[in-house]
Amino acid sequence: MNRRYNPQEIEESWQKRWEERGVFKVEEDQGKKKYYLLEMFPYPSGRIHIGHVRNYTIGDVVARYKRMKGFNVLHPMGWDSFGMPAENAAIEHGTHPAVWTNENIAYMKKQLKRMGFSYDWDREISTCEPDYYRWEQLFFLWMYEKGLAYKKRSSVNWCSHCQTVLANEQVEAGLCWRCGTEVGEKVLDQWFFRITDYVEELLDYCDRLPGWPEKVLTMQRNWIGRSYGCEILFPMADSAEAIKVFTTRQDTIYGATFMLIAAEHPLVMDLVRNKAIEKPVQEFVEKVKKQDRLLRTSEYYEKEGIFLDTFCLNPVTGKKMPIFAANFVLADYGTGCVMAVPTHDQRDFEFAKKYNLPLIVVIQPPDKPLNVQTMHEAYVDDGILVHSGRFDGMENTKAMEAIAEHLETIGRGKRTVQYRLRDWGISRQRYWGAPIPIIHCDKCGAVPVPEADLPVVLPRDVDLSGEGGSPLSRHKAFVETTCPRCDGPAGRETDTMDTFVESSWYFDRFCSARFDSSPGLDRKRVDYWMPVDQYIGGIEHAILHLLYSRFYTKMLRDFGVLGVDEPFTNLLTQGMVCKETMRCREHGYLYPQEVNDGRCSFCGGEIAVGKTEKMSKSLKNVVDPDYLIQQYGADTVRIFCLFASPPEKDLEWSDQGVEGSFRFLGRLWRIVMDYLDDIRNVKAFDGKTGLEGELKQLRRKTHQTIRKVTSDIEERFHFNTAISAVMELLNVLYQARPASDADSQVFAVIRETIETIILLMAPIVPHMTEELWMLLGHEENLADMPWPSFDAEVASEEEITIVIQVNGKVRGRIHVAADEDGEAIKSLALADEKVGRFIQGKRVIREVYVPKKLVSLVVED
């Protein structure tokens, strides 16, 4: 056997064997505990990138580990294959989105297989296929019947490049999340899902997801945005109408001196229609619509407004309040109208100063009275009410309920709860998406497509011109149909569904991917697998995909399709893959392969090395996985992605790190080759006889490594420290080096250590370890072997457990050698991860070591 590690000789061979033997195919088994591991499925853009590789490698290690631990593991893969990029690419290259998509799927599937991921490919799904979206159309019909799907005329976010509507969540810093084009507004008839019917459950269940990162839960809570306050009616000064506002600060109502309305609110133009100021207001509205929605609300953004030449009345003082359209008020938050209290809100204060509007102090601080003539900023803290009628002298926080009750008594307001979350707009004016199963009839109105006629198949013979609007609206054979109710002429809905609808239930479909009876989900199988035990993906999906998936799960539960409240028990949001940029003065950013010895390969100019940033095609700081596999093999790529950083942290790419990973695998390969003849016919040491000296130390290290690696993977997914522990064990093994004529016991211990290393590394570098396992004489697939267990007595021999206290409370335990010196033990205690959470950012005043018992740390509170 070749002593030199050559991954190209072994990796594709083992991939073929796994596929031929169906090693990773899985069925329900009531006698085994299930484990559903899922990475967010990819959009088939053409090629996988290193970010994909890292994400899927993390998932694959967990899946293989859980399999070795005896779980029945479901680890599927599919394709989020509808979407605007396919349509845009088809227009650009003169091909069909289906052709472009399926070619990309074929190539990316080949790449994923070449990485050795343990997917059950028999469950593969592609969301652009009718056998997938037919069930999505059925769910739409159910929702329509229950009022959860509805159509209304709405001002929507419009991407002029993609020629389609975007949900609020798809607008990032005023730009389209897909193409980066500035987003404008447009009024259209749109379909919506009534996600707000589930708003309280979505929010409350954030407290029932302990396996989710708190950062993600915080983002969802903020997006849902529950606020307790009052709806207050401000009568118009010249009509019987009133403006409704929502506020959480009814305690300041006596200080409200003007009214602000979001510039894009329909009320703005209604109030100025046929007035001399109508044209300037229209111009202001159009200007604001082009401003970044996020920046508009920033405290640093310039506050702008225009007087609408009309007034309303303060409902408690009766004073006239001028009404302005403003750029820092948003139409979709609250009612889109805000009572402005300039003395107690900084943005209102700045606006009032700019437009010379009145200020009235209604909350005085306890220490120093405020004077509107000398105020330089709003007072936003608590205090005592003044100039507030019957409520003068009350603490403002205690006056909240009293003022709310007063508003209810006089019929000018009521206590209520508001949410920031709005219904999910799912209409898209594009071709490459799931058709909405509605027929429009002049006589009967909107009529659902009969269930028996599903799926409404997306036609393939369309003209993709790139012109505005949906190409489906120009497809006569698709549009023209008959009404299911009256048999009269009718037309099909030509909007397609937001692609986030497909990704909101694909994890359910994986449970019974070939089930072709209504509703497309076999309840028995789904109940066995769901919820997903571990979900892995980027934090950029914290609001969009994850929130929609939670809503869709609850909706399907209420229709009796699912038996779970939440789709994902545990969530891991992996960090980004980052790399330094390289730039030529003449040719701009360069790919790594376009740089030779620090110079541009085009002009020979010197390269400027920039800062480390997230890998992206625009910065060209990307690395081709195919090249890495060709040079080093899939196992090297896998181990580097795991060793360079904990999964939740960003990974900084390092060519030297890749080389180091390859060298480590080479060392592992060589030591097995060196011992192969000596241990091939020797059984692994069984512990029935005693050991002394180096053999005893080697076996202790072996069992300590099993304990360490198991803990690192099971508790934290810290593969980097697990790999480091195996490296240490390999170093100890290299140092052992017994004589060639050593007795069989020596080689039995060495075989136990080598087999342990192979088993521990099996989920991480599966190809090499399968090959080494076979060379040791085993006939079973390594993937089918159980995870090694450690002997606690052997592992703890000559070790002691040290308790770590912080300010008298036990905060951790560490295992150390019995003869370890006190200073080293105190250093280990300070470096312990669990202890670190209690001392981070604090000064350690005293460190006390009680020999062989504990370390006591005293820190400043």
Side-chain angles (χ1 to χ4, degrees):
M1 190 67 190
N2 193 342
R3 188 173 181 271
R4 186 173 178 273
Y5 171 51
N6 187 343
Q8 277 67 32
E9 289 183 0
I10 62 175
E11 289 185 347
E12 291 190 65
S13 170
W14 278 105
Q15 290 160 12
K16 184 178 179 182
R17 289 188 218 186
W18 292 331
E19 188 166 357
E20 289 174 348
R21 298 174 187 177
V23 173
F24 303 114
K25 293 179 182 178
V26 65
E27 297 293 338
E28 298 72 33
D29 184 347
Q30 298 297 334
K32 295 179 72 174
K33 189 173 181 180
K34 69 93 179 179
Y35 192 86
Y36 187 176
L37 186 287
L38 186 64
E39 306 98 15
M40 294 180 185
F41 66 166
Y43 179 80
S45 57
R47 303 171 78 89
I48 63 172
H49 52 69
I50 287 295
H52 287 129
V53 171
R54 187 189 189 201
N55 185 11
Y56 303 149
T57 299
I58 292 167
D60 194 57
V61 172
V62 178
R64 287 174 177 271
Y65 167 77
K66 290 293 185 179
R67 197 167 185 272
M68 294 177 74
K69 291 287 284 185
F71 287 86
N72 193 30
V73 176
L74 173 58
H75 188 205
M77 175 52 69
W79 311 97
D80 190 10
S81 47
F82 268 143
M84 293 182 287
E87 191 169 340
N88 292 339
I91 294 168
E92 182 180 349
H93 301 296
T95 185
H96 194 280
V99 174
W100 185 84
T101 297
N102 289 326
E103 286 178 351
N104 289 348
I105 287 174
Y107 189 84
M108 292 174 71
K109 183 175 180 179
K110 181 180 177 182
Q111 288 183 296
L112 294 177
K113 286 188 172 184
R114 185 60 186 84
M115 284 299 302
F117 298 135
S118 58
Y119 297 128
D120 180 357
W121 285 106
D122 283 1
R123 295 175 182 262
E124 179 184 12
I125 59 175
S126 178
T127 61
C128 69
E129 297 299 330
D131 63 359
Y132 181 85
Y133 65 74
R134 67 173 296 188
W135 308 117
E136 187 173 300
Q137 292 174 339
L138 176 63
F139 302 151
F140 180 96
L141 295 179
W142 290 355
M143 295 172 75
Y144 181 73
E145 182 181 343
K146 293 291 186 182
L148 290 172
Y150 66 95
K151 196 171 192 178
K152 71 172 182 179
R153 195 156 185 79
S154 173
S155 176
V156 295
N157 303 307
W158 179 260
C159 175
S160 58
H161 178 267
C162 297
Q163 286 287 295
T164 194
V165 169
L166 301 174
N168 289 339
E169 295 90 338
Q170 293 169 317
V171 180
E172 299 176 349
L175 306 178
C176 172
W177 77 291
R178 280 288 193 191
C179 69
T181 299
E182 181 178 303
V183 174
E185 293 200 0
K186 198 170 186 176
V187 176
L188 294 171
D189 287 329
Q190 297 290 295
W191 286 99
F192 290 84
F193 283 163
R194 209 179 295 275
I195 189 174
T196 52
D197 274 15
Y198 289 83
V199 64
E200 290 188 21
E201 186 180 355
L202 287 168
L203 184 60
D204 292 345
Y205 269 70
C206 285
D207 296 329
R208 305 187 195 183
L209 295 170
W212 282 42
E214 187 56 37
K215 182 178 181 181
V216 173
L217 294 173
T218 298
M219 292 170 73
Q220 292 215 355
R221 290 187 187 104
N222 291 341
W223 188 259
I224 294 169
R226 180 160 61 193
S227 299
Y228 295 94
C230 279
E231 280 184 355
I232 305 176
L233 297 175
F234 286 74
M236 296 297 296
D238 56 359
S239 75
E241 301 297 319
I243 295 177
K244 182 190 293 184
V245 305
F246 171 79
T247 180
T248 59
R249 294 298 309 274
Q250 62 266 27
D251 57 319
T252 64
I253 188 171
Y254 284 85
T257 59
F258 55 96
M259 177 67 65
L260 298 173
I261 304 178
E264 64 270 36
H265 198 296
L267 182 60
V268 169
M269 297 311 301
D270 288 343
L271 291 175
V272 299
R273 190 153 288 118
N274 299 322
K275 293 183 178 181
I277 199 162
E278 182 175 3
K279 185 177 179 181
V281 170
Q282 180 68 57
E283 291 173 351
F284 176 77
V285 169
E286 293 304 317
K287 172 186 173 183
V288 172
K289 284 181 177 180
K290 295 177 182 179
Q291 294 176 350
D292 185 298
R293 286 171 55 86
L294 184 64
L295 288 178
R296 281 169 55 188
T297 61
S298 167
E299 61 180 300
Y300 304 107
Y301 204 73
E302 183 182 359
K303 314 300 182 291
E304 294 181 300
I306 187 168
F307 179 46
L308 301 183
D309 195 23
T310 191
F311 296 83
C312 63
L313 302 177
N314 187 309
V316 293
T317 67
K319 293 181 179 179
K320 291 176 69 174
M321 298 168 52
I323 302 174
F324 286 75
N327 68 336
F328 61 97
V329 181
L330 299 181
D332 59 359
Y333 187 73
T335 66
C337 305
V338 174
M339 67 172 202
V341 185
T343 48
H344 304 294
D345 181 279
Q346 184 60 29
R347 295 187 306 172
D348 296 348
F349 181 86
E350 293 172 16
F351 191 91
K353 286 292 186 180
K354 181 174 182 177
Y355 294 99
N356 196 29
L357 296 167
L359 284 72
I360 300 174
V361 172
V362 292
I363 300 176
Q364 286 285 10
D367 51 351
K368 184 179 180 182
L370 297 174
N371 185 329
V372 294
Q373 304 301 324
T374 58
M375 289 181 70
H376 298 292
E377 61 182 359
Y379 177 73
V380 296
D381 294 325
D382 295 332
I384 304 300
L385 290 184
V386 296
H387 304 134
S388 297
R390 70 178 69 181
F391 306 104
D392 280 357
M394 293 182 67
E395 294 179 23
N396 70 299
T397 53
K398 293 181 179 179
M400 288 279 197
E401 283 298 301
I403 292 176
E405 186 174 334
H406 175 61
L407 289 167
E408 290 176 344
T409 300
I410 64 175
R412 291 301 183 188
K414 64 177 181 178
R415 281 165 279 205
T416 187
V417 179
Q418 286 265 350
Y419 294 90
R420 181 171 182 257
L421 182 68
R422 294 294 179 262
D423 282 340
W424 174 11
I426 65 156
S427 284
R428 298 295 178 266
Q429 290 68 44
R430 295 305 298 258
Y431 161 68
W432 194 236
I436 294 175
I438 292 291
I439 293 171
H440 297 286
C441 173
D442 289 340
K443 180 179 178 182
C444 305
V447 181
V449 172
E451 182 178 339
D453 294 343
L454 297 180
V456 178
V457 177
L458 189 69
R460 294 295 175 96
D461 55 332
V462 294
D463 176 25
L464 296 175
S465 63
E467 297 177 0
S470 171
L472 289 177
S473 63
R474 301 186 292 272
H475 192 284
K476 186 176 180 180
F478 176 80
V479 174
E480 294 182 357
T481 186
T482 57
C483 174
R485 287 183 184 162
C486 69
D487 287 331
R492 293 191 186 278
E493 173 65 61
T494 58
D495 284 359
T496 53
M497 292 193 224
D498 180 8
T499 54
F500 279 102
V501 179
E502 282 86 67
S503 60
S504 293
W505 71 283
Y506 78 103
F507 39 85
D508 301 315
R509 182 65 174 166
F510 275 139
C511 299
S512 53
R514 303 294 169 257
F515 189 68
D516 60 0
S517 299
S518 182
L521 299 172
D522 184 333
R523 179 63 188 266
K524 185 176 181 181
R525 295 177 186 174
V526 174
D527 282 350
Y528 176 82
W529 291 113
M530 286 296 291
V532 175
D533 294 281
Q534 182 65 59
Y535 200 36
I536 302 174
I539 198 167
E540 66 271 18
H541 299 290
I543 294 172
L544 287 166
H545 164 58
L546 291 171
L547 186 62
Y548 292 158
S549 296
R550 296 182 60 218
F551 156 66
Y552 220 79
T553 296
K554 296 173 189 300
M555 178 272 293
L556 291 178
R557 174 204 62 195
D558 289 349
F559 280 113
V561 175
L562 299 179
V564 297
D565 297 317
E566 291 285 343
F568 316 118
T569 302
N570 297 292
L571 173 68
L572 171 65
T573 53
Q574 87 282 354
M576 298 181 296
V577 181
C578 305
K579 192 179 190 302
E580 60 191 13
T581 58
M582 291 178 286
R583 189 165 190 164
C584 169
R585 182 175 302 223
E586 181 178 348
H587 294 96
Y589 288 113
L590 299 176
Y591 289 108
Q593 61 270 25
E594 295 173 341
V595 176
N596 296 318
D597 296 326
R599 295 193 172 275
C600 174
S601 61
F602 300 111
C603 65
E606 190 172 343
I607 295 304
V609 178
K611 63 180 181 179
T612 298
E613 298 190 57
K614 176 187 176 182
M615 283 190 180
S616 69
K617 291 179 181 177
S618 61
L619 297 177
K620 296 188 177 182
N621 60 337
V622 295
V623 179
D624 182 7
D626 289 349
Y627 169 78
L628 293 172
I629 292 171
Q630 182 181 352
Q631 288 292 110
Y632 301 103
D635 281 343
T636 294
V637 180
R638 291 170 64 111
I639 195 172
F640 172 75
C641 286
L642 298 168
F643 183 60
S645 173
E648 71 277 8
K649 303 292 186 183
D650 288 349
L651 183 155
E652 186 171 334
W653 190 263
S654 163
D655 295 334
Q656 294 78 15
V658 177
E659 290 277 0
S661 297
F662 183 71
R663 287 196 301 272
F664 165 68
L665 294 183
R667 291 187 76 219
L668 174 55
W669 179 270
R670 286 192 301 274
I671 200 164
V672 177
M673 293 302 103
D674 290 348
Y675 279 117
L676 192 57
D677 290 338
D678 295 320
I679 66 176
R680 194 195 305 270
N681 298 314
V682 176
K683 288 186 178 180
F685 187 70
D686 57 13
K688 292 182 179 179
T689 57
L691 296 173
E692 298 294 335
E694 288 188 352
L695 284 182
K696 187 175 183 180
Q697 294 174 12
L698 177 59
R699 188 158 193 259
R700 181 172 66 246
K701 185 66 173 178
T702 299
H703 284 256
Q704 289 172 350
T705 303
I706 297 172
R707 181 177 64 192
K708 169 68 173 170
V709 173
T710 304
S711 172
D712 285 346
I713 296 178
E714 187 74 41
E715 297 178 13
R716 303 181 299 160
F717 291 171
H718 278 199
F719 311 112
N720 56 328
T721 54
I723 294 167
S724 180
V726 174
M727 289 177 171
E728 290 180 16
L729 178 59
L730 185 65
N731 288 336
V732 174
L733 180 60
Y734 260 96
Q735 293 165 8
R737 292 296 185 182
S740 57
D741 59 350
D743 61 32
S744 60
Q745 186 185 58
V746 173
F747 291 113
V749 174
I750 288 175
R751 178 165 183 130
E752 181 190 18
T753 298
I754 287 176
E755 286 193 351
T756 295
I757 292 173
I758 292 171
L759 287 164
L760 295 178
M761 293 297 291
I764 298 168
V765 287
H767 309 90
M768 167 191 270
T769 51
E770 285 275 18
E771 185 75 9
L772 294 176
W773 192 253
M774 183 187 70
L775 292 174
L776 289 176
H778 294 287
E779 296 180 359
E780 313 93 332
N781 285 318
L782 179 59
D784 294 326
M785 296 303 295
W787 185 254
S789 58
F790 65 90
D791 185 319
E793 185 177 345
V794 173
S796 62
E797 188 178 356
E798 299 184 16
E799 275 194 345
I800 55 175
T801 300
I802 300 295
V803 172
I804 309 170
Q805 293 182 345
V806 178
N807 289 350
K809 294 183 178 180
V810 176
R811 298 302 190 187
R813 290 175 173 82
I814 55 175
H815 301 283
V816 300
D819 58 354
E820 189 71 80
D821 71 85
E823 289 303 313
I825 290 173
K826 285 192 284 186
S827 296
L828 290 170
L830 290 167
D832 183 74
E833 184 176 354
K834 292 180 180 179
V835 172
R837 294 199 292 265
F838 298 96
I839 64 175
Q840 186 175 7
K842 299 178 180 179
R843 188 167 68 91
V844 179
I845 301 172
R846 189 164 69 251
E847 305 166 12
V848 178
Y849 171 55
V850 180
K852 300 186 182 300
K853 290 185 178 180
L854 65 85
V855 172
S856 177
L857 304 174
V858 179
V859 300
E860 288 183 334
D861 290 333

